[in-house]
Amino acid sequence: MKNLPLKIYPVSLGCPKNRVDTERFLGSLGLEARLVKRVGSAGLVFVNTCGFIDSAVRESIRTILELGAEIQSLPAGKRPLLAVAGCLVGRYGEKQLAKDLPEVDLWLPTKTLASWPFILRAFLEKKLKDCSGSAAAEKTAGNPARLSAHKGADRLLSTAPSYAWLKISEGCGRRCSFCVIPRIRGPLRSELPEQITREAVKILERGVSELVLIAQDLTAWGRDLPGAPSREHNLMRLLERLFPLAGLKRLRLMYLYPAGLTGTLLKFLSEAPSVFVPYFDVPLQHADAGILKAMGRPFAGSPFKVLERIRKYFLQAALRTSLITGFPGESASAFAVLRQFVTEAKFQNLGVFAFEPEEGSKAALMPGQVPERTRAERRDILMQIQAGISEALLLEQQGRELEILIDRPSAEWPGLFVGRAWFQAPEVDGVTYVSGENVQPGSLVKAVINETYTYDLNGLAV
């Protein structure tokens, strides 16, 4: 039998942390792996699922069913294998899912994340032995011996050439009543600083300009590592390693737990090199003290204190948060507090989610469940308020010259490019459209803003 490359059709659902897992896994497959754009050309279809909330679970299952149906529509000897990984598997377990989704050939739970390459190797070796000499065997051939555990050195990046996600820990040690992440992903497990730095260097060597640090809680990084000096401020030690790296033009921190944003950390960041982006993504979730307490959030006082602490050190900070409407017990007065908070806080960017009673979470069993329609209506009210705030804040950029990091060319307008100002994070915020000479994906250009919209900007390169 020929030693053919392993052809893979990948699908990654959910958050950027999932994206990193997918990129690391694909990178670990080595030179024997090749990505394809059609299911019919693949020997392996790989789906990394999300299972955080019910809507994500439904999307994951729908994707599996659609891919399974497409695979079954192919001739028997040309059907790729279907491997499903990630949070859906971690949440419901392989045995339960296998009964309902028999079209899946291989399950990869989150608890075996580091071993996914080895599990795939063993699976392929067995499959090749069972199907030796068949057309199906040649489609999935590859060289299983080339698969190895990924340590960040050969990630297969799937983002724009301008930025990359850098995951620094797995799991979470918090116990928020609405969240099932600790159950799915396990407790906090920090990556070693040497490993994170090595991965960052490899990414920057490819010409990437912006690193976006992500974790379930960035401020908790390092607490579980041997020799950690304290339960706080370990993140500063890591950032001291990353700030000087060659080629780094922007370093952005996403998912900063409010209680972890101490004065010590903020003072350190205020004195950081210019590569640090003063963009603070702080998931506050609510503003009413009673609701925050029921959520299990450790800062049940006014969330304004968190914002005031940030603005003490960063007068022009870009603030982003996520909020939940319709949490159990959210009365009309509690929602009024939240609505007033959004009006006064003036976040640069805001995400609002209607509460979903997740199976396995404490909040799902709490009394005072809010009707689904009310949850959605309250979400829409907040987003309508935020639209006006965003439009006003962006209008202040009219006529200003901003540095824009170019992500990609516009798919609709030749000569137009899509990029981001420092206060726009990739994939979750608005964008800045730029036209002009010498504009290329991955470049950092200066542009004069000539039009502003509700969430986006338009500029001309100078």
Side-chain angles (χ1 to χ4, degrees):
M1 183 182 67
K2 297 178 181 179
N3 185 26
L4 301 175
L6 177 61
K7 298 178 181 179
I8 305 174
Y9 179 87
V11 178
S12 190
L13 304 173
C15 67
K17 294 183 286 295
N18 249 23
R19 175 85 74 91
V20 172
D21 291 342
T22 299
E23 291 176 348
R24 287 176 174 175
F25 173 69
L26 294 175
S28 73
L29 303 183
L31 298 176
E32 298 299 326
R34 184 160 65 88
L35 303 188
V36 296
K37 296 182 178 180
R38 295 190 306 110
V39 169
S41 302
L44 175 71
V45 174
F46 172 77
V47 185
N48 197 358
T49 60
C50 181
F52 178 43
I53 55 178
D54 284 346
S55 56
V57 169
R58 290 192 295 271
E59 180 189 17
S60 294
I61 293 174
R62 183 172 63 251
T63 300
I64 295 169
L65 291 174
E66 290 174 352
L67 289 170
E70 187 171 354
I71 290 171
Q72 290 303 310
S73 70
L74 298 171
K78 298 183 179 294
R79 294 172 186 167
L81 301 171
L82 177 58
V84 174
C87 289
L88 181 75
V89 193
R91 181 169 181 176
Y92 294 104
E94 176 182 346
K95 290 183 179 179
Q96 179 179 339
L97 290 171
K99 294 178 182 177
D100 299 326
L101 298 167
E103 50 269 270
V104 177
D105 298 291
L106 175 65
W107 298 96
L108 297 168
T110 48
K111 64 182 179 182
T112 63
L113 179 61
S115 300
W116 285 359
F118 300 117
I119 296 172
L120 177 62
R121 179 176 65 189
F123 177 78
L124 288 179
E125 286 175 343
K126 183 178 185 302
K127 198 72 178 177
L128 292 174
K129 183 178 180 181
D130 294 343
C131 303
S132 182
S134 71
E138 291 209 348
K139 283 199 71 177
T140 57
N143 183 354
R146 291 294 302 273
L147 309 188
S148 59
H150 180 78
K151 296 299 181 185
D154 48 6
R155 227 172 99 188
L156 199 158
L157 299 180
S158 60
T159 47
S162 51
Y163 71 93
W165 306 102
L166 187 60
K167 188 171 77 166
I168 66 172
S169 67
E170 181 59 81
C172 184
R174 307 288 182 181
R175 290 295 181 267
C176 301
S177 62
F178 54 83
C179 184
V180 294
I181 286 295
R183 175 184 168 189
I184 297 173
R185 309 287 291 198
L188 172 69
R189 301 183 302 287
S190 300
E191 300 266 9
L192 294 174
E194 298 83 5
Q195 184 172 321
I196 296 170
T197 305
R198 184 166 58 247
E199 186 172 357
V201 168
K202 289 291 183 180
I203 292 172
L204 294 171
E205 285 176 346
R206 303 181 200 182
V208 171
S209 298
E210 179 175 337
L211 293 179
V212 187
L213 267 61
I214 53 172
Q216 203 62 37
D217 174 10
L218 281 181
T219 64
W221 178 85
R223 291 179 182 177
D224 57 320
L225 294 179
S230 69
R231 288 186 58 80
E232 294 184 343
H233 309 137
N234 294 297
L235 181 62
M236 296 190 302
R237 293 189 299 127
L238 177 61
L239 294 177
E240 286 173 339
R241 285 172 164 264
L242 300 178
F243 285 146
L245 294 182
L248 180 63
K249 296 178 182 177
R250 285 182 181 177
L251 190 143
R252 190 183 302 271
L253 306 178
M254 301 284 285
Y255 319 122
L256 293 157
Y257 199 74
L261 277 174
T262 64
T264 302
L265 176 58
L266 288 166
K267 184 176 186 298
F268 168 81
L269 294 175
S270 70
E271 298 169 354
S274 59
V275 295
F276 171 69
V277 179
Y279 174 104
F280 294 87
D281 178 21
V282 188
L284 295 170
Q285 309 301 3
H286 214 278
D288 179 79
I291 297 297
L292 286 169
K293 184 176 181 180
M295 286 179 166
R297 307 293 276 179
F299 55 101
S302 170
F304 268 118
K305 294 179 180 179
V306 179
L307 307 186
E308 289 169 359
R309 191 181 305 149
I310 296 172
R311 285 169 171 159
K312 174 184 176 182
Y313 292 94
F314 295 90
L315 293 177
Q316 302 301 320
L319 300 177
R320 185 183 213 284
T321 197
S322 56
L323 301 172
I324 297 174
T325 57
F327 188 83
E330 186 188 65
S331 61
S333 59
F335 176 67
V337 170
L338 182 59
R339 184 175 56 203
Q340 187 64 25
F341 174 66
V342 171
T343 302
E344 296 178 6
K346 292 186 173 17
F347 292 100
Q348 185 83 42
N349 300 288
L350 174 67
V352 184
F353 304 89
F355 172 75
E356 293 186 25
E358 296 303 321
E359 180 184 356
S361 69
K362 292 182 180 178
L365 302 176
M366 287 181 175
Q369 296 287 328
V370 178
E372 183 177 358
R373 181 176 178 179
T374 303
R375 293 180 236 153
E377 288 174 347
R378 291 176 177 177
R379 175 199 60 207
D380 294 344
I381 289 171
L382 295 188
M383 288 309 300
Q384 191 171 27
I385 294 172
Q386 178 60 25
I389 293 171
S390 177
E391 188 170 358
L393 289 175
L394 292 184
L395 185 60
E396 295 176 2
Q397 304 297 333
Q398 181 80 37
R400 291 183 180 178
E401 183 178 287
L402 298 176
E403 280 196 329
I404 308 299
L405 184 58
I406 304 300
D407 289 336
R408 63 186 187 277
S410 169
E412 299 176 355
W413 301 97
L416 186 67
F417 291 82
V418 182
R420 293 172 293 105
W422 66 271
F423 48 80
Q424 295 170 322
E427 301 183 25
V428 292
D429 296 335
V431 298
T432 300
Y433 297 98
V434 178
S435 57
E437 298 181 359
N438 301 318
V439 180
Q440 295 295 330
S443 62
L444 191 63
V445 303
K446 292 184 178 180
V448 174
I449 304 304
N450 52 27
E451 287 184 274
T452 68
Y453 312 103
T454 302
Y455 297 111
D456 302 325
L457 299 170
N458 192 79
L460 181 64
V462 294

